[in-house]
Amino acid sequence: MVLLTGVSPEPLSASGRSSEKLSLPSLQSKMKADPEGYETELHLIHSQFNSALELFQQQAALNFSSITGVGSDPTVAKDLSDRAMFLAHVTPFYPKKLAQFPSDLAAFLKSSARTLPSGLRVHVTQALILLVNRKILDIKDILSLFMELQTLGDRNLRKLAFSHVVHSIRRMNKNHKNEAKNRPLQNILFALLQQEDEARAKRSLITLCELHRRKVWFDDRTANAICMACFHSSSRIMIAALSFLLDFEKIENDDEDSDASSSEDEMTQSPHVVINKETVYKAHHKGTAASKKKKKAKLQRAIRSMKRKQRLSSANTSSSYYSPLNHLKDAQGFAEKLFSRLQTCNERFEVKMMMLKVIARTVGLHRLILLNFYPFLQRYVQPHQKDITNLLAAAVQACHDMVPPDAVEPLFKQIVNQFVHDRSRTEAIAVGLNVIREICLRMPLLMNEDLLQDLALYKKSHEKAVSAAARSLIALFREVCPSLLVKKDRGRPVDPKARPRAYGEVNVLSNVPDIELLEHADEIDGKLGGSSRPGDGEDIGNEAKMSKAGKRKLSDFDGQLIAADTSLRALKRLAGAKTSHASSDTTDGILSDEHFKRIKELKAKKEAKTALAQQGFKIPSSDQLSVKRVDPSKLEAHVRLRLSKEERLALVKAGREDRGPYQARTAIKQKKTGGLSNRQKEHKKNMPFAAKKAKAQRSRQEKSKKKQRSGKQFRGKKAWKQ
């Protein structure tokens, strides 16, 4: 017979066994080893669990004390929790006898969760988690219960239930996305999110955000559900949804030193950079030390620029790049609805700023037209406004080439008039010039010639922040529209006749992008590889002949016409041969994977050459600008804010951390341990006799000269009277 500790001491009969005293864990291990031999003990413990359950429910009905628990006997609660965990462990070995136990346990927790003591609640929840992990219960059946447990105010229980829901769904989608099981779970959470009850909606939103952040539920339905939470009746839910969207859209560190990703969710493929070997050799081996240093710096800048471009392009094409705002089903309706709520809400200023930034990000990302948004921003565009840099960053983000320039022009003029004038502070002028540059990068049609030339004069300012901002504006228009600048500010632009595209003007592609690189593949490979082609000597000879022909006299004009006619016919034949060769290469006009790989390789080589040759401002495309986040801190670049006395002292103390306490040189010498230095040893050497004699002679001569000079000195009026 078997006696259980912690159980009633009634003897339990096991066929053919002697009486022994066992605890629940030891009995549990024996039942797992021999399930059929311990069916009597199982029946007894199951009946004890049912009786303890009924007794506890009766005591809970009589002695209700508070929401955190009941005033029942703690021994009853402990016995109930111990038997619940015991039965949860042995349920897989008795599927028929304990078939009703999981549903009974879930029903008990669902009906009495608010009146249970905290410890018993946690133990019963752990028993349910164990049953789910053993696949006896399905997460779909208890998801609503676990979401309800998170609203009880028990911190430990909330953490336990939340982590179990997230880990269960992650484990379910580990190998592949299980849409058949994900749909019912998403429907449960979406329904909870739409409820008016703030506690349930908040826990549902937190669960959805966590699953989306971990890229488990990385689909449009989850993203749209999170975005629609911005319109919840509770302001707390709205603020939580806005915070998640803004945190997800947090500006990535685009610094030059941080090219590697540290998160497991980021893409691990490193960009492939093609750099000319000759350029690398020159940067390391040719020229003086200063010139090699400049070449190395230029080479590193080119490599970083190419890596950044390739990372952005691969992020846009791959499925790993994802933002909740990026896949809104009705982005225009979302922006208009949120803007109308912004205009009518009575929230504090920080909440309004969050709404405003989300609207601006949505407008810039999807290139929407929300004309009433720009006059609304005009109310807050003042240098003394709180969080003015965040506001200006949102204004920049909402500008794109699809917005009519007339709609943004009043806001643009107000920024110029309020920030950039002679009586404005240095910080305001620098921020204003940087904002003007960013807006003109997206909408260059807003700038006119007189305004640009006035703003360009700030390049002579003695303040570094102002002069740097003005020079960056000049560098932008050297690439966009050099004709607006005065002649001395134009420099040497790449295209002197460049002009911004008119409003609504688009470039329509009529062929595969960059397919012309295949025709000039030999030239690109030859120029980048540093090797000369066989025909280069003939080209030099032809150029020399053409230069000589240009110097001929007018009398040979007829001969020149005949030669030009024959050369034109030769060029036409050559062009026809090249086109036939290109068509034969691409067979029937269908490009294979090898062609696209070749195009990608040639494009990388061409970008390498452009990055090495190009200087000044790099103009990104409109698609890159829509994806790019605007960092408010970069609008304050080079601006030195005035520090208080405490901040200055903190900087001084921070600079002294690496140094030890101040000590005089003599004190350091006195503390020195070990032998003497060579100079000290020289001082202690015995001088030769001749040196001593010479030194004594010199001292006697100096004393005699001093004595002679002392008698001839002027001693004042009293000396003349004597």
Side-chain angles (χ1 to χ4, degrees):
M1 287 188 291
V2 180
L3 294 177
L4 297 178
T5 59
V7 193
S8 85
E10 180 182 353
L12 301 176
S13 62
S15 58
R17 290 183 176 83
S18 60
S19 176
E20 56 178 337
K21 191 175 183 181
L22 294 176
S23 62
L24 285 177
S26 59
L27 180 60
Q28 173 185 321
S29 61
K30 288 181 177 295
M31 292 177 75
K32 289 180 180 179
D34 185 14
E36 296 179 356
Y38 289 90
E39 292 183 355
T40 307
E41 288 84 348
L42 175 68
H43 178 70
L44 178 60
I45 294 176
H46 194 196
S47 61
Q48 289 175 355
F49 168 76
N50 292 330
S51 60
L53 189 62
E54 293 176 1
L55 179 61
F56 185 84
Q57 288 176 345
Q58 291 175 2
Q59 289 185 354
L62 294 174
N63 300 321
F64 179 80
S65 62
S66 66
I67 196 171
T68 58
V70 297
S72 60
D73 189 1
T75 57
V76 177
K78 187 177 184 307
D79 290 343
L80 183 59
S81 62
D82 290 343
R83 283 158 178 76
M85 288 297 296
F86 177 85
L87 292 174
H89 275 284
V90 299
T91 298
F93 301 93
Y94 301 95
K96 293 183 179 179
K97 295 185 178 297
L98 296 178
Q100 196 64 25
F101 169 71
S103 58
D104 292 343
L105 192 64
F108 166 67
L109 188 60
K110 187 174 183 179
S111 61
S112 307
R114 293 188 177 274
T115 59
L116 294 179
S118 177
L120 180 57
R121 263 198 310 247
V122 171
H123 282 91
V124 175
T125 306
Q126 288 175 346
L128 280 176
I129 291 174
L130 183 61
L131 293 172
V132 174
N133 292 339
R134 298 286 177 85
K135 297 183 179 180
I136 299 171
L137 277 176
D138 194 4
I139 184 64
K140 179 180 67 174
D141 301 331
I142 61 167
L143 179 60
S144 301
L145 174 60
F146 273 68
M147 298 305 298
E148 185 70 26
L149 293 176
Q150 298 179 40
T151 63
L152 298 181
D154 191 341
R155 183 178 179 182
N156 295 329
L157 182 65
R158 181 174 66 244
K159 187 176 180 181
L160 179 65
F162 173 73
S163 61
H164 170 67
V165 169
V166 173
H167 291 156
S168 297
I169 298 176
R170 283 188 69 188
R171 189 167 57 249
M172 187 174 65
N173 295 275
K174 185 176 181 180
N175 297 326
H176 64 280
K177 299 298 180 184
N178 196 340
E179 291 296 333
K181 292 185 177 180
N182 285 334
R183 287 272 177 172
L185 300 179
Q186 288 177 344
N187 293 335
I188 293 172
L189 292 177
F190 294 166
L192 290 174
L193 184 58
Q194 294 174 1
Q195 290 184 6
E196 295 294 330
D197 188 1
E198 183 179 319
R200 292 191 179 95
K202 185 178 180 182
R203 297 313 306 176
S204 174
L205 177 62
I206 291 173
T207 306
L208 289 172
C209 292
E210 182 67 16
L211 291 170
H212 190 278
R213 187 185 65 82
R214 291 177 178 269
K215 298 185 179 180
V216 179
W217 283 355
F218 214 52
D219 53 343
D220 297 349
R221 296 182 74 226
T222 308
N224 280 272
I226 294 172
C227 293
M228 291 301 114
C230 297
F231 309 119
H232 198 274
S233 58
S234 173
S235 60
R236 283 186 172 185
I237 306 299
M238 178 190 70
I239 293 171
L242 292 173
S243 301
F244 175 75
L245 293 176
L246 292 176
D247 288 341
F248 202 93
E249 291 289 329
K250 203 175 277 184
I251 296 171
E252 298 174 355
N253 189 8
D254 244 354
D255 293 339
E256 297 176 347
D257 297 328
S258 60
D259 285 333
S261 59
S262 59
S263 175
E264 63 178 0
D265 295 334
E266 294 179 1
M267 58 181 181
T268 58
Q269 185 178 3
S270 60
H272 179 63
V273 181
V274 182
I275 294 294
N276 185 5
K277 293 181 180 179
E278 184 181 358
T279 306
V280 177
Y281 179 80
K282 286 181 179 179
H284 289 84
H285 297 92
K286 286 191 176 182
T288 61
S291 65
K292 285 192 288 187
K293 185 177 180 181
K294 290 181 181 178
K295 291 174 186 176
K296 289 178 184 177
K298 184 178 179 181
L299 188 66
Q300 291 298 323
R301 286 197 301 270
I303 292 173
R304 284 193 294 268
S305 175
M306 292 172 58
K307 282 186 176 181
R308 193 177 299 116
K309 287 180 181 178
Q310 293 180 9
R311 190 168 62 247
L312 286 174
S313 61
S314 61
N316 292 335
T317 55
S318 64
S319 60
S320 61
Y321 179 79
Y322 192 86
S323 167
L325 293 175
N326 203 25
H327 288 265
L328 282 167
K329 292 181 180 178
D330 185 12
Q332 184 72 37
F334 173 80
E336 291 177 355
K337 191 174 180 181
L338 190 58
F339 181 57
S340 64
R341 183 166 186 174
L342 172 62
Q343 290 177 311
T344 57
C345 72
N346 296 322
E347 300 289 341
R348 61 184 189 274
F349 178 74
E350 290 78 11
V351 179
K352 288 185 176 180
M353 280 296 300
M354 293 171 67
M355 299 171 70
L356 191 143
K357 287 191 282 188
V358 170
I359 294 169
R361 181 66 184 140
T362 308
V363 170
L365 187 63
H366 294 275
R367 301 170 76 183
L368 307 176
I369 297 178
L370 196 64
L371 300 180
N372 295 332
F373 184 63
Y374 306 100
F376 181 81
L377 289 173
Q378 276 185 262
R379 298 190 228 168
Y380 300 97
V381 177
Q382 301 289 339
H384 59 271
Q385 177 66 45
K386 183 181 178 182
D387 290 339
I388 184 60
T389 52
N390 289 320
L391 187 71
L392 292 173
V396 171
Q397 191 75 68
C399 295
H400 53 86
D401 54 357
M402 300 299 292
V403 180
D406 298 338
V408 189
E409 189 174 4
L411 175 64
F412 182 75
K413 287 184 177 179
Q414 182 168 346
I415 293 173
V416 173
N417 296 331
Q418 293 288 337
F419 286 84
V420 188
H421 55 83
D422 295 337
R423 295 185 179 181
S424 183
R425 293 181 301 165
T426 303
E427 299 86 359
I429 297 175
V431 171
L433 288 173
N434 287 328
V435 173
I436 291 169
R437 182 197 69 234
E438 292 294 330
I439 292 178
C440 291
L441 180 62
R442 291 158 174 80
M443 302 179 66
L445 294 174
L446 292 171
M447 184 62 70
N448 56 55
E449 185 176 358
D450 296 334
L451 177 59
L452 180 59
Q453 292 179 6
D454 290 341
L455 296 177
L457 295 177
Y458 282 96
K459 69 178 181 179
K460 299 179 181 179
S461 175
H462 297 290
E463 297 290 339
K464 181 182 178 182
V466 177
S467 61
R471 291 180 188 277
S472 65
L473 183 64
I474 293 172
L476 170 64
F477 277 91
R478 281 178 180 172
E479 304 292 332
V480 175
C481 188
S483 60
L484 295 181
L485 294 166
V486 295
K487 188 174 181 180
K488 63 180 180 180
D489 289 337
R490 292 175 190 172
R492 193 166 61 184
V494 178
D495 186 7
K497 297 182 179 180
R499 63 169 185 86
R501 289 187 299 180
Y503 175 68
E505 182 182 353
V506 293
N507 292 329
V508 180
L509 296 175
S510 59
N511 206 340
V512 177
D514 301 321
I515 194 175
E516 65 276 0
L517 296 176
L518 292 175
E519 301 178 4
H520 306 285
D522 296 335
E523 298 178 6
I524 296 174
D525 289 335
K527 289 180 180 178
L528 287 173
S531 61
S532 61
R533 290 173 296 155
D536 286 346
E538 297 175 3
D539 293 340
I540 295 172
N542 292 334
E543 290 177 0
K545 290 179 182 178
M546 290 175 64
S547 62
K548 290 180 182 178
K551 297 178 183 178
R552 289 176 184 172
K553 296 181 181 179
L554 190 62
S555 60
D556 199 16
F557 185 70
D558 295 335
Q560 291 180 10
L561 285 178
I562 296 171
D565 189 22
T566 55
S567 62
L568 182 61
R569 288 195 296 270
L571 285 174
K572 286 182 178 180
R573 287 195 300 270
L574 182 61
K578 282 190 174 183
T579 53
S580 63
H581 182 264
S583 62
S584 63
D585 286 344
T586 57
T587 62
D588 55 349
I590 299 175
L591 299 178
S592 62
D593 292 339
E594 288 75 13
H595 289 102
F596 285 105
K597 289 179 182 178
R598 181 62 174 160
I599 289 173
K600 190 175 182 180
E601 181 184 352
L602 293 172
K603 186 179 179 182
K605 289 183 178 181
K606 187 177 179 181
E607 287 178 355
K609 180 186 175 184
T610 306
L612 288 170
Q614 189 176 7
Q615 297 177 355
F617 207 91
K618 278 78 175 177
I619 306 296
S621 64
S622 57
D623 295 333
Q624 292 174 346
L625 287 173
S626 63
V627 175
K628 181 183 177 183
R629 289 85 160 169
V630 180
D631 190 354
S633 62
K634 290 186 179 179
L635 299 178
E636 297 177 327
H638 306 293
V639 175
R640 296 183 61 184
L641 301 177
R642 187 172 296 175
L643 302 177
S644 62
K645 185 177 180 181
E646 292 78 10
E647 292 173 342
R648 291 198 300 270
L649 285 175
L651 288 176
V652 171
K653 291 179 180 178
R656 293 177 179 173
E657 290 178 355
D658 297 335
R659 298 184 302 179
Y662 174 75
Q663 288 181 338
R665 183 172 294 180
T666 54
I668 296 174
K669 287 182 179 179
Q670 289 174 0
K671 289 184 179 179
K672 181 181 177 182
T673 59
L676 300 175
S677 64
N678 291 336
R679 183 171 293 181
Q680 290 173 339
K681 290 177 181 178
E682 287 178 359
H683 281 295
K684 288 192 174 185
K685 278 184 179 180
N686 292 327
M687 298 177 65
F689 180 73
K692 288 182 180 179
K693 191 174 180 180
K695 185 178 180 182
Q697 181 67 23
R698 284 197 303 271
S699 64
R700 282 197 301 269
Q701 290 176 358
E702 289 177 0
K703 287 179 181 178
S704 63
K705 287 180 181 179
K706 188 176 181 181
K707 190 175 181 181
Q708 290 174 5
R709 287 195 301 268
S710 64
K712 296 179 181 180
Q713 286 181 347
F714 176 67
R715 296 184 179 180
K717 294 182 179 181
K718 291 183 179 180
W720 291 98
K721 290 180 181 179
Q722 291 180 356

